[in-house]
Amino acid sequence: STDGSSILYGLGLVKSVGKSADMIYEERINNGKFTSFADFMLRTRCNKTAAEKLIEAGAFDEFTKSRKALFMAVPYYCDVIKKIQDKKNILENSEKSEKSKENAKKAIITLTDDIHNLLYDAAGEEDIVERLRNEKNSTGAYISGHPLGSYPKAREVGASDIDSLVAGKTFTVFGIIKDLRETNRKSDGAKMAFFTIEDLSGEIEVKCFAPTYAKFGTLINEDAVVKIIGRVDEEEDVFNSSAEDEEEKTKLTLTSKEIHIVEAVKNPICIKVKHLAEWVQCQDALIGYKDNNGHLLYVFDEMSGKIRKSNAEACL
């Protein structure tokens, strides 16, 4: 559901969370909002898998800019939580000596400090496609964005929206590959591929037979963003053959003839300098990013009030 500009998604719907959602909800209601990921782990003792899926779903985005960095730190958090619980078990064991219990109390304090002070690369760069793929795997949907968000619009690459396709014509479509299945032709073992291509309007099944695969097979990869030229046909939908509506018994498929990679659009970056002399002093450092998938860099000269294109690139 939505609440103004926010999207509300139930915890219980996140993969591998299930019944833990009730416990997490009750803890938050009874003892207040979670103030950090460490606070969440200490108060809920959430298991590793559930914690990882919640991270991928974006449940802790207010605590970090990098889901990947937090995800990589989960095993450490879980290890410390287990050690704390082991020490608490000593406190609850009537057979343990007072000295053992005193040592356990000190250890709990130290371990709690450790988990609160854990440092990880919260500003680390992430692959946006991987981030969104994990998000969809955890929730069943892209929530914070779409893998095509940093790519040109379909019309800008001469493509039609998938939901506008009709049978019997050749179309160009543009989108992201998913559900890739590669196989071999029975007659001679030549490679073929079947996959789905998804854009912002919908998705369609794609067939890439041996002749096309021989030319473009290296471009066919899971999560690759491609432009495909091919013929759209209508065929029986074997997985929906029991449908009462005749239209629902058929589906459109695309037989590919050409496949081309589409590059992401890198947004330009603009920096301000008080005057061009200041730019001369810093440009050498920026040029160092030139071969690192840089973004086009513009310079705003505050003295003249003009924006100039630089000969350097910068990376985010």
Side-chain angles (χ1 to χ4, degrees):
S1 65
T2 59
D3 180 14
S5 60
S6 300
I7 297 175
L8 305 180
Y9 192 91
L11 285 177
L13 298 177
V14 178
K15 188 176 181 180
S16 301
V17 174
K19 295 181 180 179
S20 296
D22 293 335
M23 175 270 293
I24 294 170
Y25 173 76
E26 290 177 6
E27 172 60 32
R28 185 177 182 278
I29 291 298
N30 294 332
N31 298 303
K33 290 184 176 181
F34 301 109
T35 58
S36 65
F37 183 69
D39 182 49
F40 170 84
M41 292 296 287
L42 284 167
R43 287 165 55 184
T44 66
R45 287 185 287 171
C46 195
N47 68 62
K48 179 177 178 290
T49 302
E52 289 173 341
K53 292 303 178 184
L54 285 169
I55 291 170
E56 291 179 341
F60 306 105
D61 283 359
E62 64 181 298
F63 303 137
T64 178
K65 294 181 180 179
S66 175
R67 295 179 189 176
K68 184 175 182 179
L70 188 56
F71 184 97
M72 297 297 290
V74 167
Y76 175 82
Y77 281 103
C78 291
D79 181 57
V80 176
I81 292 295
K82 183 180 183 305
K83 289 178 179 178
I84 290 175
Q85 186 57 47
D86 289 344
K87 299 304 178 184
K88 287 183 177 180
N89 290 339
I90 292 176
L91 295 179
E92 296 171 1
N93 189 336
S94 59
E95 297 181 1
K96 295 294 181 179
S97 66
E98 288 302 316
K99 184 176 181 180
S100 295
K101 292 183 178 181
E102 188 62 32
N103 289 335
K105 289 180 182 178
K106 293 179 180 178
I108 290 173
I109 294 173
T110 300
L111 290 167
T112 302
D113 287 341
D114 286 346
I115 200 170
H116 277 300
N117 294 324
L118 173 65
L119 298 176
Y120 54 90
D121 187 13
E125 291 187 21
E126 287 188 281
D127 181 279
I128 186 63
V129 173
E130 179 184 5
R131 174 186 172 103
L132 290 171
R133 181 178 64 242
N134 291 336
E135 184 176 285
K136 186 172 184 179
N137 181 51
S138 297
T139 66
Y142 298 122
I143 296 177
S144 63
H146 193 279
L148 298 180
S150 58
Y151 287 82
K153 303 296 183 184
R155 63 178 179 275
E156 294 175 6
V157 296
S160 301
D161 289 337
I162 289 176
D163 69 353
S164 69
L165 303 182
V166 295
K169 295 183 179 181
T170 295
F171 286 93
T172 298
V173 299
F174 151 69
I176 185 168
I177 291 175
K178 65 177 189 178
D179 302 329
L180 172 61
R181 180 172 64 89
E182 294 178 303
T183 186
N184 299 93
R185 190 164 59 186
K186 292 183 178 179
S187 61
D188 58 3
K191 282 192 173 183
M192 305 185 296
F194 300 89
F195 54 89
T196 299
I197 185 165
E198 175 186 332
D199 68 5
L200 296 175
S201 71
E203 61 183 42
I204 188 171
E205 181 183 317
V206 180
K207 301 176 180 180
C208 182
F209 294 118
T212 304
Y213 190 96
K215 294 180 180 179
F216 304 103
T218 57
L219 307 181
I220 302 173
N221 298 289
E222 192 78 23
D223 297 322
V225 176
V226 296
K227 180 172 72 172
I228 300 178
I229 302 172
R231 179 181 173 82
V232 176
D233 293 296
E234 189 175 58
E235 63 180 48
E236 182 182 355
D237 187 352
V238 296
F239 295 106
N240 200 25
S241 57
S242 61
E244 295 181 3
D245 190 330
E246 288 297 326
E247 291 186 0
E248 293 182 357
K249 292 183 179 180
T250 61
K251 65 178 180 179
L252 295 180
T253 62
L254 177 70
T255 301
S256 58
K257 300 300 181 185
E258 295 182 27
I259 301 175
H260 304 279
I261 289 291
V262 179
E263 297 293 339
V265 176
K266 296 183 176 69
N267 295 323
I269 298 172
C270 186
I271 64 171
K272 292 182 180 180
V273 296
K274 294 180 180 179
H275 44 71
L276 284 183
E278 184 178 69
W279 161 243
V280 171
Q281 295 174 3
C282 67
Q283 66 174 329
D284 288 342
L286 289 166
I287 290 175
Y289 290 116
K290 192 168 185 178
D291 297 322
N292 193 13
N293 297 319
H295 296 244
L296 191 62
L297 183 65
Y298 288 86
V299 178
F300 176 66
D301 182 357
E302 291 186 328
M303 180 174 287
S304 66
K306 295 181 179 180
I307 297 178
R308 294 181 171 87
K309 179 180 176 181
S310 78
N311 63 346
E313 294 179 337
C315 87
L316 291 174

mmCIF file of all heavy atoms in Angstrom, residues 11 14-18 20-21 23-24 37 40-41 45-57 59-60 71 74 78 138:
data_model
loop_
_atom_site.group_PDB
_atom_site.id
_atom_site.type_symbol
_atom_site.label_atom_id
_atom_site.label_comp_id
_atom_site.label_asym_id
_atom_site.label_seq_id
_atom_site.Cartn_x
_atom_site.Cartn_y
_atom_site.Cartn_z
ATOM 1 N N LEU A 11 6.151 -6.747 6.676
ATOM 2 C CA LEU A 11 7.342 -7.526 7.000
ATOM 3 C C LEU A 11 7.150 -9.011 6.735
ATOM 4 O O LEU A 11 8.060 -9.702 6.297
ATOM 5 C CB LEU A 11 7.711 -7.322 8.478
ATOM 6 C CG LEU A 11 8.367 -6.013 8.873
ATOM 7 C CD1 LEU A 11 8.587 -5.997 10.382
ATOM 8 C CD2 LEU A 11 9.689 -5.848 8.150
ATOM 9 N N VAL A 14 8.147 -10.422 3.322
ATOM 10 C CA VAL A 14 9.548 -10.531 2.932
ATOM 11 C C VAL A 14 9.987 -11.979 3.052
ATOM 12 O O VAL A 14 9.715 -12.647 4.053
ATOM 13 C CB VAL A 14 10.444 -9.637 3.813
ATOM 14 C CG1 VAL A 14 11.918 -9.811 3.427
ATOM 15 C CG2 VAL A 14 10.039 -8.178 3.673
ATOM 16 N N LYS A 15 10.655 -12.466 2.038
ATOM 17 C CA LYS A 15 11.087 -13.861 1.982
ATOM 18 C C LYS A 15 11.889 -14.254 3.223
ATOM 19 O O LYS A 15 12.751 -13.502 3.677
ATOM 20 C CB LYS A 15 11.932 -14.074 0.724
ATOM 21 C CG LYS A 15 12.297 -15.510 0.434
ATOM 22 C CD LYS A 15 13.043 -15.603 -0.881
ATOM 23 C CE LYS A 15 13.421 -17.031 -1.223
ATOM 24 N NZ LYS A 15 14.143 -17.102 -2.514
ATOM 25 N N SER A 16 11.587 -15.404 3.797
ATOM 26 C CA SER A 16 12.298 -16.002 4.939
ATOM 27 C C SER A 16 12.053 -15.300 6.275
ATOM 28 O O SER A 16 12.639 -15.671 7.286
ATOM 29 C CB SER A 16 13.815 -16.060 4.680
ATOM 30 O OG SER A 16 14.103 -16.824 3.535
ATOM 31 N N VAL A 17 11.195 -14.274 6.284
ATOM 32 C CA VAL A 17 10.897 -13.579 7.546
ATOM 33 C C VAL A 17 9.704 -14.242 8.230
ATOM 34 O O VAL A 17 9.763 -14.620 9.402
ATOM 35 C CB VAL A 17 10.634 -12.083 7.321
ATOM 36 C CG1 VAL A 17 10.181 -11.407 8.623
ATOM 37 C CG2 VAL A 17 11.885 -11.404 6.792
ATOM 38 N N GLY A 18 8.618 -14.409 7.505
ATOM 39 C CA GLY A 18 7.465 -15.152 7.999
ATOM 40 C C GLY A 18 6.978 -14.752 9.377
ATOM 41 O O GLY A 18 6.714 -13.584 9.652
ATOM 42 N N SER A 20 8.509 -14.420 12.094
ATOM 43 C CA SER A 20 9.380 -13.512 12.840
ATOM 44 C C SER A 20 8.857 -12.084 12.786
ATOM 45 O O SER A 20 9.189 -11.250 13.644
ATOM 46 C CB SER A 20 10.799 -13.552 12.274
ATOM 47 O OG SER A 20 11.381 -14.821 12.431
ATOM 48 N N ALA A 21 8.036 -11.792 11.788
ATOM 49 C CA ALA A 21 7.493 -10.446 11.645
ATOM 50 C C ALA A 21 6.679 -10.040 12.864
ATOM 51 O O ALA A 21 6.734 -8.886 13.303
ATOM 52 C CB ALA A 21 6.635 -10.356 10.377
ATOM 53 N N MET A 23 7.060 -11.058 15.972
ATOM 54 C CA MET A 23 7.986 -10.790 17.071
ATOM 55 C C MET A 23 8.666 -9.430 16.892
ATOM 56 O O MET A 23 8.805 -8.656 17.846
ATOM 57 C CB MET A 23 9.031 -11.900 17.148
ATOM 58 C CG MET A 23 10.139 -11.700 18.163
ATOM 59 S SD MET A 23 11.566 -10.830 17.455
ATOM 60 C CE MET A 23 12.160 -12.047 16.295
ATOM 61 N N ILE A 24 9.083 -9.123 15.667
ATOM 62 C CA ILE A 24 9.743 -7.846 15.384
ATOM 63 C C ILE A 24 8.767 -6.699 15.637
ATOM 64 O O ILE A 24 9.127 -5.683 16.258
ATOM 65 C CB ILE A 24 10.237 -7.814 13.919
ATOM 66 C CG1 ILE A 24 11.339 -8.853 13.719
ATOM 67 C CG2 ILE A 24 10.731 -6.421 13.545
ATOM 68 C CD1 ILE A 24 11.731 -9.064 12.264
ATOM 69 N N PHE A 37 21.084 -0.986 13.272
ATOM 70 C CA PHE A 37 20.992 -2.408 12.956
ATOM 71 C C PHE A 37 21.440 -3.239 14.157
ATOM 72 O O PHE A 37 20.861 -4.290 14.453
ATOM 73 C CB PHE A 37 21.852 -2.734 11.736
ATOM 74 C CG PHE A 37 21.761 -4.169 11.309
ATOM 75 C CD1 PHE A 37 20.595 -4.674 10.750
ATOM 76 C CD2 PHE A 37 22.839 -5.027 11.492
ATOM 77 C CE1 PHE A 37 20.504 -6.015 10.369
ATOM 78 C CE2 PHE A 37 22.756 -6.365 11.103
ATOM 79 C CZ PHE A 37 21.590 -6.853 10.540
ATOM 80 N N PHE A 40 18.651 -3.469 16.537
ATOM 81 C CA PHE A 40 17.656 -4.427 16.026
ATOM 82 C C PHE A 40 18.075 -5.854 16.332
ATOM 83 O O PHE A 40 17.272 -6.669 16.814
ATOM 84 C CB PHE A 40 17.491 -4.233 14.518
ATOM 85 C CG PHE A 40 16.673 -5.305 13.849
ATOM 86 C CD1 PHE A 40 15.285 -5.231 13.845
ATOM 87 C CD2 PHE A 40 17.288 -6.386 13.237
ATOM 88 C CE1 PHE A 40 14.526 -6.230 13.238
ATOM 89 C CE2 PHE A 40 16.544 -7.388 12.627
ATOM 90 C CZ PHE A 40 15.155 -7.305 12.632
ATOM 91 N N MET A 41 19.327 -6.187 16.058
ATOM 92 C CA MET A 41 19.802 -7.546 16.263
ATOM 93 C C MET A 41 19.817 -7.917 17.741
ATOM 94 O O MET A 41 19.468 -9.044 18.119
ATOM 95 C CB MET A 41 21.190 -7.718 15.650
ATOM 96 C CG MET A 41 21.224 -7.640 14.138
ATOM 97 S SD MET A 41 20.303 -8.964 13.331
ATOM 98 C CE MET A 41 21.387 -10.364 13.612
ATOM 99 N N ARG A 45 17.204 -10.695 18.113
ATOM 100 C CA ARG A 45 17.993 -11.920 17.872
ATOM 101 C C ARG A 45 17.501 -12.615 16.592
ATOM 102 O O ARG A 45 17.331 -13.830 16.538
ATOM 103 C CB ARG A 45 17.918 -12.856 19.065
ATOM 104 C CG ARG A 45 18.742 -12.360 20.256
ATOM 105 C CD ARG A 45 18.756 -13.361 21.375
ATOM 106 N NE ARG A 45 17.485 -13.436 22.079
ATOM 107 C CZ ARG A 45 17.166 -14.343 22.978
ATOM 108 N NH1 ARG A 45 18.017 -15.300 23.267
ATOM 109 N NH2 ARG A 45 16.005 -14.327 23.567
ATOM 110 N N CYS A 46 17.266 -11.805 15.590
ATOM 111 C CA CYS A 46 16.787 -12.287 14.296
ATOM 112 C C CYS A 46 17.825 -13.237 13.691
ATOM 113 O O CYS A 46 19.031 -13.016 13.807
ATOM 114 C CB CYS A 46 16.568 -11.088 13.377
ATOM 115 S SG CYS A 46 15.610 -11.449 11.917
ATOM 116 N N ASN A 47 17.382 -14.310 13.046
ATOM 117 C CA ASN A 47 18.340 -15.247 12.469
ATOM 118 C C ASN A 47 19.012 -14.651 11.229
ATOM 119 O O ASN A 47 18.531 -13.680 10.647
ATOM 120 C CB ASN A 47 17.683 -16.592 12.163
ATOM 121 C CG ASN A 47 16.660 -16.510 11.042
ATOM 122 O OD1 ASN A 47 16.981 -16.174 9.913
ATOM 123 N ND2 ASN A 47 15.408 -16.839 11.365
ATOM 124 N N LYS A 48 20.101 -15.258 10.820
ATOM 125 C CA LYS A 48 20.941 -14.736 9.749
ATOM 126 C C LYS A 48 20.177 -14.560 8.434
ATOM 127 O O LYS A 48 20.245 -13.495 7.804
ATOM 128 C CB LYS A 48 22.142 -15.662 9.529
ATOM 129 C CG LYS A 48 23.083 -15.235 8.404
ATOM 130 C CD LYS A 48 24.272 -16.182 8.344
ATOM 131 C CE LYS A 48 25.222 -15.825 7.210
ATOM 132 N NZ LYS A 48 24.639 -16.116 5.888
ATOM 133 N N THR A 49 19.428 -15.582 8.045
ATOM 134 C CA THR A 49 18.724 -15.524 6.763
ATOM 135 C C THR A 49 17.674 -14.422 6.745
ATOM 136 O O THR A 49 17.575 -13.654 5.778
ATOM 137 C CB THR A 49 18.058 -16.873 6.450
ATOM 138 O OG1 THR A 49 19.058 -17.894 6.422
ATOM 139 C CG2 THR A 49 17.344 -16.830 5.112
ATOM 140 N N ALA A 50 16.900 -14.327 7.812
ATOM 141 C CA ALA A 50 15.866 -13.296 7.875
ATOM 142 C C ALA A 50 16.486 -11.902 7.873
ATOM 143 O O ALA A 50 15.984 -10.987 7.213
ATOM 144 C CB ALA A 50 15.006 -13.489 9.131
ATOM 145 N N ALA A 51 17.586 -11.734 8.607
ATOM 146 C CA ALA A 51 18.260 -10.431 8.643
ATOM 147 C C ALA A 51 18.760 -10.048 7.254
ATOM 148 O O ALA A 51 18.627 -8.884 6.828
ATOM 149 C CB ALA A 51 19.423 -10.477 9.629
ATOM 150 N N GLU A 52 19.332 -11.007 6.540
ATOM 151 C CA GLU A 52 19.854 -10.734 5.198
ATOM 152 C C GLU A 52 18.734 -10.330 4.240
ATOM 153 O O GLU A 52 18.885 -9.405 3.434
ATOM 154 C CB GLU A 52 20.591 -11.961 4.671
ATOM 155 C CG GLU A 52 21.914 -12.216 5.378
ATOM 156 C CD GLU A 52 22.555 -13.534 4.962
ATOM 157 O OE1 GLU A 52 21.848 -14.408 4.414
ATOM 158 O OE2 GLU A 52 23.771 -13.700 5.200
ATOM 159 N N LYS A 53 17.605 -11.021 4.331
ATOM 160 C CA LYS A 53 16.492 -10.700 3.436
ATOM 161 C C LYS A 53 15.887 -9.336 3.763
ATOM 162 O O LYS A 53 15.461 -8.604 2.865
ATOM 163 C CB LYS A 53 15.421 -11.790 3.518
ATOM 164 C CG LYS A 53 15.860 -13.123 2.944
ATOM 165 C CD LYS A 53 16.305 -12.978 1.487
ATOM 166 C CE LYS A 53 16.792 -14.285 0.908
ATOM 167 N NZ LYS A 53 17.314 -14.119 -0.477
ATOM 168 N N LEU A 54 15.854 -8.990 5.034
ATOM 169 C CA LEU A 54 15.355 -7.671 5.416
ATOM 170 C C LEU A 54 16.285 -6.567 4.904
ATOM 171 O O LEU A 54 15.832 -5.503 4.486
ATOM 172 C CB LEU A 54 15.210 -7.585 6.941
ATOM 173 C CG LEU A 54 14.018 -8.337 7.534
ATOM 174 C CD1 LEU A 54 14.136 -8.400 9.052
ATOM 175 C CD2 LEU A 54 12.702 -7.680 7.126
ATOM 176 N N ILE A 55 17.582 -6.827 4.941
ATOM 177 C CA ILE A 55 18.545 -5.867 4.395
ATOM 178 C C ILE A 55 18.309 -5.690 2.901
ATOM 179 O O ILE A 55 18.228 -4.564 2.390
ATOM 180 C CB ILE A 55 19.989 -6.342 4.646
ATOM 181 C CG1 ILE A 55 20.325 -6.269 6.130
ATOM 182 C CG2 ILE A 55 20.983 -5.481 3.847
ATOM 183 C CD1 ILE A 55 21.639 -6.938 6.491
ATOM 184 N N GLU A 56 18.180 -6.799 2.186
ATOM 185 C CA GLU A 56 17.966 -6.740 0.736
ATOM 186 C C GLU A 56 16.658 -6.042 0.395
ATOM 187 O O GLU A 56 16.545 -5.395 -0.657
ATOM 188 C CB GLU A 56 17.978 -8.155 0.148
ATOM 189 C CG GLU A 56 19.352 -8.816 0.181
ATOM 190 C CD GLU A 56 19.339 -10.223 -0.377
ATOM 191 O OE1 GLU A 56 18.247 -10.831 -0.449
ATOM 192 O OE2 GLU A 56 20.417 -10.705 -0.745
ATOM 193 N N ALA A 57 15.666 -6.161 1.267
ATOM 194 C CA ALA A 57 14.377 -5.517 1.034
ATOM 195 C C ALA A 57 14.416 -4.025 1.323
ATOM 196 O O ALA A 57 13.480 -3.297 0.972
ATOM 197 C CB ALA A 57 13.306 -6.182 1.901
ATOM 198 N N ALA A 59 14.880 -2.707 4.537
ATOM 199 C CA ALA A 59 14.320 -2.403 5.852
ATOM 200 C C ALA A 59 15.242 -1.543 6.715
ATOM 201 O O ALA A 59 14.782 -0.887 7.653
ATOM 202 C CB ALA A 59 14.003 -3.707 6.590
ATOM 203 N N PHE A 60 16.554 -1.528 6.390
ATOM 204 C CA PHE A 60 17.500 -0.789 7.229
ATOM 205 C C PHE A 60 18.178 0.359 6.469
ATOM 206 O O PHE A 60 19.249 0.810 6.850
ATOM 207 C CB PHE A 60 18.561 -1.747 7.783
ATOM 208 C CG PHE A 60 17.978 -2.921 8.510
ATOM 209 C CD1 PHE A 60 17.960 -4.176 7.925
ATOM 210 C CD2 PHE A 60 17.404 -2.766 9.763
ATOM 211 C CE1 PHE A 60 17.410 -5.265 8.578
ATOM 212 C CE2 PHE A 60 16.848 -3.850 10.434
ATOM 213 C CZ PHE A 60 16.845 -5.102 9.837
ATOM 214 N N PHE A 71 25.021 -6.212 4.577
ATOM 215 C CA PHE A 71 24.808 -7.637 4.323
ATOM 216 C C PHE A 71 26.072 -8.435 4.631
ATOM 217 O O PHE A 71 26.013 -9.497 5.262
ATOM 218 C CB PHE A 71 24.404 -7.818 2.854
ATOM 219 C CG PHE A 71 24.059 -9.224 2.465
ATOM 220 C CD1 PHE A 71 22.739 -9.657 2.437
ATOM 221 C CD2 PHE A 71 25.056 -10.131 2.122
ATOM 222 C CE1 PHE A 71 22.428 -10.964 2.074
ATOM 223 C CE2 PHE A 71 24.750 -11.436 1.759
ATOM 224 C CZ PHE A 71 23.433 -11.849 1.741
ATOM 225 N N VAL A 74 26.656 -9.155 8.377
ATOM 226 C CA VAL A 74 25.678 -9.938 9.142
ATOM 227 C C VAL A 74 26.304 -11.117 9.890
ATOM 228 O O VAL A 74 25.979 -11.350 11.063
ATOM 229 C CB VAL A 74 24.527 -10.417 8.225
ATOM 230 C CG1 VAL A 74 23.676 -11.485 8.912
ATOM 231 C CG2 VAL A 74 23.654 -9.240 7.849
ATOM 232 N N CYS A 78 25.755 -11.842 13.893
ATOM 233 C CA CYS A 78 25.161 -13.087 14.390
ATOM 234 C C CYS A 78 26.108 -13.806 15.343
ATOM 235 O O CYS A 78 25.671 -14.392 16.347
ATOM 236 C CB CYS A 78 24.795 -13.995 13.221
ATOM 237 S SG CYS A 78 23.422 -13.390 12.211
ATOM 238 N N SER A 138 13.740 -10.653 -2.630
ATOM 239 C CA SER A 138 13.272 -10.675 -1.239
ATOM 240 C C SER A 138 11.808 -10.302 -1.099
ATOM 241 O O SER A 138 11.118 -10.796 -0.198
ATOM 242 C CB SER A 138 14.112 -9.701 -0.388
ATOM 243 O OG SER A 138 15.460 -10.100 -0.351
#
